[in-house]
Amino acid sequence: MTTSKHPRTLIAAAVTCAAAGLVFYACSTTTGGNANLASGDAASRVYVAPGQYDQYYAFLSGGYNGQIGVYGLPSGRLLKFVSVYSQNPETGWGYNEETKPMLQTTFGSIPWDDTHHPELSQTDGVPDGRWLFINANNTPRVARVDLTTFETTEILQIPNSAGGHASPFTTPDTKYIVSATRFSIPVHNADVAINSYKQNFKGTVSFIRADQPGKMDIAFQILMPGYNYDLGHAGKGPSDGWFFFTTYNTEQAHEKLELNASQNDKDFMAAVNYRAAEQCIAEGKGRTVPAEYYHNVLDEKSGQAHSEKKTSVMTLDPNACPGVVYFMPTPKSPHGVDVDPTGEYMVAGGKLATVIPVHSFKKMQQAIADKAFDGDEYGIPVLKYSATIAGEVQKPGLGPLHTEFDGKGNAYTSMFISSEIVKWKLGTWEVLDRMPVYYSVGHLMIPGGDSKKPWGQYVLSLNKITKDRYLPTGPELSQSAQLIDISGNKMKMLLDFPTIGEPHYAQALPAELIRDKQLKFYKLAESAHPDVVKAESEGGITRSGKRVDIKMAAIRSHFAPDNLEGVQVGDTVYFHVTNIEQDWDIVHGFAVMGAENAELIMAPGATRTLKWIPKATGVYPFYCTDFCSALHQEMQGYVRVSPAGSNVPLMANISKKAQAQIAKATSEKKDDSHERHEAARKDR
Ligand code: K7E
Ligand code: CUA
């Protein structure tokens, strides 16, 4: 669920169900114990000895922290946060000049978002460890994270959309990732009465070209009726070429949705034939319309991001392209839609339904061929429920949300209201096992569990409410994840660990698919950053009007230059700091007193730039923030700030060693930059 952090959501869910004539009780608000769920050998099953590696990388979305948490499984150890949509003062992401453009949108620079669904790139339907995509839920965007650097390298804004929730699920070849509107809005957005919802509000489903890094773009947007589009998954195998989306609010309510969007017994699963859409567009049946959105790319060679504003988008009206969209009635306000590894079954999470409905792709094709329609909605054929349904899992539990697969013919569904994971069999639809989880599970995740080849060893339960699970930390507690062994017939609880942010979905894959491909440092010799320094002697200070640029090298354990003069009140100062180390994991930081943004953190070989506007005269220390050597505490310097118009000359103090480098360089090459002379002029 999207906003299900607090216990009141449980009550709300129960009330909703009561309104629908059913009374569900959340069994997840009991207090106390249940500590003995774990079997005796559980500890040894998750124990990763000092110096040993975890078996899987797991990527957990951070929800409202706008980031991604990288955890090792089975230990549950937190390895890293990848900054995506939210500024991160810890790394300087979104604060330094290099990465600021990554947060650019048509609404301006947005320093925050809400991440829900990490999605690994796939080759032939199997996660391949190249990239991880993630959606922004509030201001719709999709991002690419490069899994050799664990850095966000690309962000694309989605126009004509609001609430980019059904995103960024991939096709089996990663040709496309998708983004669909959770909130329908006027398309093109306009000043209209909210009660003109039915006439004016539309949904869109965007197919985003994703297989070429640095070149993400919207291939086309399909204009859909004004429902809420919740989640999506691509077909695979026989259903390759199709994409499935859940909808709710087919009532098209625009107020008190809690009640008004829960009237219909069935909403729809939308089946989109995207190859047919490609075909229609090739035949000129699409329409290019004006739309403004940003594409932001971090250049690998310079480490600098650039923003490009796009001005149009290709749209397709399903009525102009018969056969591109069908609706399958699906009970009731479905949340997740998950396609099994064979590609035959589409499982819906009918969160207010009493069953788990499963559609058959084979039957769907037959129903289309037979025109087994129950009329249409806005020209889109509605297939008969009985014609596409493969089966219903009876009495699965309360509040089914999401399903993943183990690759051995079993499915695992999360039950939000009854707080359990339910294992059932594809084809016979019988419930095989249940595991209580604490509390209120949202998504669940099996490594590769939405792909053609799940690594069906564990399921991770991503829970919303921790209550009494951990030492209390005031009114707000962390969310939790629980690792369950699914290698045998019965599920076994192994581990319970707190998570940061609100992980909605997660994905995981075997560590060896990523581990040995890690970049250890950026090659200094190949840096294309315009303000890089490749040796200490290249540091210096220059002025151009009221702008002062300071180029600096950072190396254990000093900055070069380390003392600077000639800066004046009213100047805008840019510190361009290059970590000139060429050694794995030797990181330096940079912070200056009174700076209003954050620190810089420089990976080896990287240049980062801090903007600083000194407001008062004085001497300002700066220092390295990352404990880099025994003499880290000595890694410091001063900037002198004089009054505006002062005649204190520019001075950058560099070491004897650097002076020697400069002398050597100038004797070899007479006409070398006088910026360096300037720097060397006033040395110690
Ligand atoms: Cu169920 Cu946003 Cu995929 Cu929350 S979502 S759980
Ligand atoms: Cu460099 Cu501490």
Side-chain angles (χ1 to χ4, degrees):
M1 310 279 282
T2 51
T3 52
S4 41
K5 199 170 153 311
H6 300 291
R8 66 169 177 269
T9 313
L10 293 174
I11 296 156
V15 167
T16 308
C17 302
L22 301 157
V23 180
F24 291 163
Y25 291 103
C27 68
S28 54
T29 50
T30 53
T31 52
N34 290 301
N36 291 330
L37 285 170
S39 59
D41 65 342
S44 67
R45 306 281 297 280
V46 300
Y47 181 66
V48 177
Q52 299 296 302
Y53 290 157
D54 273 294
Q55 207 180 341
Y56 294 94
Y57 281 99
F59 301 91
L60 277 59
S61 69
Y64 45 74
N65 77 14
Q67 320 279 25
I68 299 165
V70 185
Y71 295 74
L73 293 181
S75 74
R77 295 188 294 203
L78 173 62
L79 303 175
K80 190 182 177 99
F81 268 93
V82 180
S83 306
V84 189
Y85 301 107
S86 295
Q87 281 179 305
N88 187 355
E90 180 188 341
T91 57
W93 177 260
Y95 288 101
N96 61 49
E97 298 304 300
E98 282 74 14
T99 57
K100 272 182 187 172
M102 293 300 281
L103 304 180
Q104 194 58 42
T105 73
T106 51
F107 304 96
S109 175
I110 297 191
W112 170 85
D113 218 301
D114 180 14
T115 54
H116 283 222
H117 306 117
E119 177 83 345
L120 289 159
S121 57
Q122 298 186 354
T123 299
D124 195 21
V126 182
D128 57 21
R130 284 180 295 167
W131 309 302
L132 182 76
F133 301 98
I134 193 152
N135 66 322
N137 202 32
N138 184 51
T139 302
R141 286 171 280 177
V142 291
R144 180 198 308 272
V145 173
D146 182 325
L147 291 179
T148 66
T149 59
F150 284 63
E151 284 248 10
T152 304
T153 52
E154 195 172 5
I155 294 181
L156 179 74
Q157 191 183 356
I158 314 296
N160 298 330
S161 179
H165 192 257
S167 179
F169 305 100
T170 185
T171 56
D173 53 3
T174 317
K175 179 173 181 182
Y176 299 115
I177 55 173
V178 300
S179 177
T181 31
R182 173 167 162 213
F183 310 110
S184 284
I185 50 168
V187 172
H188 208 79
N189 210 347
D191 171 20
V192 301
I194 296 167
N195 67 14
S196 70
Y197 189 103
K198 284 194 182 170
Q199 302 92 276
N200 287 326
F201 288 45
K202 284 218 156 287
T204 57
V205 166
S206 300
F207 283 79
I208 300 149
R209 195 70 198 255
D211 47 358
Q212 291 173 345
K215 294 190 179 149
M216 281 203 292
D217 201 5
I218 298 166
F220 52 89
Q221 285 189 320
I222 302 177
L223 299 169
M224 302 286 281
Y227 311 147
N228 292 45
Y229 295 82
D230 209 5
L231 283 165
H233 258 112
K236 46 174 97 80
S239 53
D240 188 18
W242 289 77
F243 224 104
F244 305 94
F245 297 91
T246 45
T247 72
Y248 61 104
N249 193 22
T250 50
E251 297 86 348
Q252 296 190 270
H254 58 273
E255 55 184 2
K256 300 194 184 75
L257 261 64
E258 191 179 21
L259 185 66
N260 294 331
S262 306
Q263 299 300 309
N264 294 346
D265 272 346
K266 295 189 178 70
D267 295 276
F268 296 129
M269 185 186 291
V272 176
N273 183 341
Y274 60 86
R275 300 244 165 84
E278 286 173 336
Q279 184 65 32
C280 282
I281 283 162
E283 289 164 6
K285 292 174 182 160
R287 216 159 66 86
T288 303
V289 302
E292 295 194 335
Y293 56 105
Y294 273 91
H295 179 220
N296 309 319
V297 179
L298 190 73
D299 176 66
E300 208 183 304
K301 285 272 177 268
S302 69
Q304 281 189 311
H306 300 282
S307 294
E308 186 198 352
K309 192 178 188 177
K310 309 235 174 190
T311 54
S312 69
V313 69
M314 174 64 73
T315 59
L316 184 64
D317 182 338
N319 286 310
C321 186
V324 77
V325 186
Y326 296 92
F327 283 140
M328 289 184 275
T330 300
K332 171 175 185 164
S333 299
H335 185 51
V337 48
D338 299 285
V339 180
D340 87 303
T342 69
E344 162 62 7
Y345 296 120
M346 294 86 76
V347 180
K351 59 188 190 270
L352 302 181
T354 52
V355 298
I356 300 171
V358 184
H359 294 288
S360 151
F361 181 72
K362 218 185 274 165
K363 289 185 78 175
M364 183 193 97
Q365 279 184 309
Q366 193 60 48
I368 292 169
D370 297 347
K371 296 201 165 33
F373 301 150
D374 251 346
D376 70 274
E377 289 289 336
Y378 298 88
I380 295 169
V382 176
L383 298 167
K384 282 193 178 8
Y385 182 69
S386 59
T388 63
I389 197 78
E392 294 172 339
V393 181
Q394 300 295 329
K395 299 210 177 90
L398 305 180
L401 290 186
H402 298 285
T403 299
E404 296 243 308
F405 307 91
D406 65 1
K408 300 171 212 154
N410 303 308
Y412 296 75
T413 301
S414 55
M415 299 289 162
F416 179 76
I417 297 174
S418 55
S419 288
E420 58 188 331
I421 287 179
V422 172
K423 175 182 178 181
W424 51 275
K425 199 167 177 52
L426 287 159
T428 69
W429 326 119
E430 60 189 314
V431 171
L432 301 175
D433 193 19
R434 300 171 179 278
M435 170 61 74
V437 291
Y438 298 89
Y439 303 101
S440 298
V441 52
H443 276 271
L444 75 183
M445 182 274 291
I446 293 171
D450 70 340
S451 76
K452 267 186 177 173
K453 258 202 221 141
W455 292 276
Q457 188 177 2
Y458 303 112
V459 63
L460 189 69
S461 175
L462 297 152
N463 310 326
K464 303 295 187 185
I465 296 159
T466 52
K467 286 280 191 187
D468 55 354
R469 303 303 292 171
Y470 311 117
L471 284 175
T473 53
E476 183 165 18
L477 308 179
S478 70
Q479 274 79 13
S480 80
Q482 291 182 299
L483 188 74
I484 297 160
D485 179 357
I486 56 167
S487 58
N489 286 335
K490 290 280 169 198
M491 289 184 266
K492 263 193 199 160
M493 180 64 70
L494 297 180
L495 178 72
D496 184 325
F497 63 96
T499 60
I500 304 296
E502 183 186 355
H504 287 259
Y505 187 40
Q507 290 220 320
L509 80 180
E512 59 267 24
L513 291 177
I514 298 182
R515 195 182 60 206
D516 302 328
K517 296 195 289 200
Q518 295 309 298
L519 184 76
K520 298 206 159 118
F521 54 85
Y522 296 96
K523 286 192 186 130
L524 199 55
E526 292 172 11
S527 171
H529 193 294
D531 298 303
V532 65
V533 298
K534 296 186 178 177
E536 292 186 41
S537 56
E538 293 178 12
I541 182 167
T542 53
R543 169 181 289 284
S544 163
K546 291 211 158 290
R547 176 185 170 127
V548 174
D549 286 274
I550 295 165
K551 293 192 200 179
M552 238 183 221
I555 185 163
R556 281 163 289 178
S557 294
H558 57 274
F559 293 104
D562 64 353
N563 283 343
L564 299 142
E565 295 191 356
V567 171
Q568 299 175 7
V569 172
D571 284 344
T572 299
V573 180
Y574 292 91
F575 293 97
H576 310 281
V577 191
T578 303
N579 178 351
I580 63 172
E581 309 267 3
Q582 293 287 272
D583 227 340
W584 192 19
D585 196 28
I586 302 297
V587 172
H588 296 288
F590 176 86
V592 60
M593 186 170 78
E596 291 172 291
N597 33 27
E599 65 169 351
L600 301 174
I601 283 286
M602 291 82 60
T607 304
R608 288 283 177 262
T609 300
L610 188 87
K611 181 179 173 181
W612 180 56
I613 302 177
K615 302 236 171 64
T617 57
V619 174
Y620 293 77
F622 56 83
Y623 73 105
C624 172
T625 53
D626 191 308
F627 209 112
C628 51
S629 75
L631 295 173
H632 154 82
Q633 287 296 86
E634 282 70 17
M635 193 163 173
Q636 65 158 63
Y638 290 106
V639 195
R640 174 182 171 187
V641 178
S642 305
S646 144
N647 57 9
V648 174
L650 285 181
M651 187 280 281
N653 185 13
I654 55 175
S655 66
K656 289 270 187 307
K657 183 179 157 207
Q659 289 172 43
Q661 285 175 350
I662 290 168
K664 186 156 174 271
T666 36
S667 68
E668 278 165 8
K669 191 172 166 228
K670 270 285 177 222
D671 62 344
D672 211 347
S673 114
H674 47 249
E675 184 184 312
R676 291 175 207 171
H677 294 257
E678 180 89 61
R681 204 158 51 87
K682 287 255 181 180
D683 46 26
R684 12 188 138 170

